[in-house]
Amino acid sequence: MEIKQSRKIPPFTGTKILCVGRNYKPHVEELGNSIPKEPLWFSKPLSSIIGSGEKIILPEGFGRIDYEGEMALVISKKARNLSPNEALDFLEGVTVALDITARELQKQDGQWTRAKGFDTFCPLGPFVVPFEKSWLEAELTTELNGKTVQKDSLSSLIFSVPTLLAHITRVMTLEPGDVILTGTPAGIGPLKHGDVLKVKLSASSEIILENFVISEKQSPVA
Ligand code: ZN
């Protein structure tokens, strides 16, 4: 499929990465959580970003590390107190991300900064594709070693993209280049050394993020 007017990412040009948790019902249920009454969101540090083709490094001694394939929104202009009706006008486009998560730390800590914040825990890209409404019904698929493990449509989000943007900008200003991960479908699972992850977002065109998994022991940068 053809990709038009897209730009490469990274480099990351924004000021923050925000992530929405528990935004697909089957995923909320698979972890035994309850459906949130309002959007539940958090941030990942910019130091966690890597690009497509780069290695996710599994830290040793922190328990199970999971993949979460997600669709990501990229903001085009400064946004504050948006109404749901105007929110889509503030999108540059969409891309793909992985919200890598140390699942046991997430439960243990009660808040998620450490569990979601390790270096390499936010693979992102490889392109920002200009926003069109068809992306709101795109199909999101995660493949682990060539096998489909997550598959859902963006139309199943509990909180829609306009609702999320209105909710977030009631709290903080979004800047051009800021990225929002919209949540993961059911089918999350653990990673091990040697795994290959592929996350695909398909609508009028297709975006594919691919990353390799290595354990910290094997890493030249550890
Ligand atoms: Zn997530």
Side-chain angles (χ1 to χ4, degrees):
M1 277 184 253
E2 195 191 359
I3 295 175
K4 291 176 205 153
Q5 303 167 305
S6 54
R7 74 167 166 95
K8 210 176 167 339
I9 188 172
F12 183 82
T13 55
T15 64
K16 52 194 166 293
I17 305 171
L18 303 175
C19 310
V20 180
R22 302 178 188 166
N23 205 22
Y24 287 85
K25 192 161 174 279
H27 169 64
V28 175
E29 291 167 350
E30 76 180 340
L31 288 177
N33 294 309
S34 48
I35 306 284
K37 289 195 172 59
E38 57 179 349
L40 175 64
W41 46 285
F42 56 96
S43 68
K44 283 171 94 82
L46 302 187
S47 46
S48 66
I49 297 171
I50 57 171
S52 189
E54 294 195 87
K55 294 181 181 75
I56 298 165
I57 300 171
L58 302 179
E60 293 282 326
F62 293 97
R64 173 175 152 171
I65 312 293
D66 284 355
Y67 58 84
E68 296 188 357
E70 311 204 6
M71 184 257 243
L73 307 167
V74 184
I75 299 299
S76 60
K77 50 191 175 183
K78 195 182 270 283
R80 172 76 177 150
N81 278 326
L82 298 182
S83 72
N85 285 339
E86 67 184 333
L88 298 180
D89 297 337
F90 289 74
L91 290 178
E92 175 194 348
V94 299
T95 189
V96 180
L98 277 156
D99 173 19
I100 305 295
T101 303
R103 194 65 67 196
E104 289 156 41
L105 285 190
Q106 183 186 25
K107 287 179 191 148
Q108 179 188 321
D109 287 359
Q111 53 78 25
W112 307 350
T113 307
R114 184 164 71 137
K116 304 265 193 182
F118 284 85
D119 287 0
T120 76
F121 272 24
C122 191
L124 187 67
F127 296 102
V128 180
V129 175
F131 183 75
E132 309 170 6
K133 280 206 169 156
S134 65
W135 288 110
L136 299 180
E137 298 186 344
E139 189 175 81
L140 181 69
T141 309
T142 307
E143 288 177 14
L144 179 65
N145 304 323
K147 184 172 165 255
T148 299
V149 287
Q150 297 189 283
K151 193 182 184 103
D152 209 333
S153 161
L154 266 291
S155 58
S156 349
L157 291 182
I158 296 171
F159 297 105
S160 69
V161 168
T163 301
L164 293 174
L165 292 172
H167 195 268
I168 290 167
T169 60
R170 179 77 183 84
V171 176
M172 60 181 73
T173 303
L174 293 176
E175 300 285 350
D178 282 359
V179 166
I180 300 165
L181 277 56
T182 53
T184 200
I188 56 106
L191 292 169
K192 61 177 191 320
H193 178 78
D195 282 343
V196 179
L197 276 169
K198 217 181 250 192
V199 187
K200 294 184 194 175
L201 187 69
S202 311
S204 55
S205 59
E206 192 166 56
I207 312 168
I208 303 175
L209 173 69
E210 184 173 33
N211 293 93
F212 309 95
V213 179
I214 61 168
S215 73
E216 196 171 45
K217 276 186 206 150
Q218 318 281 334
S219 165
V221 300

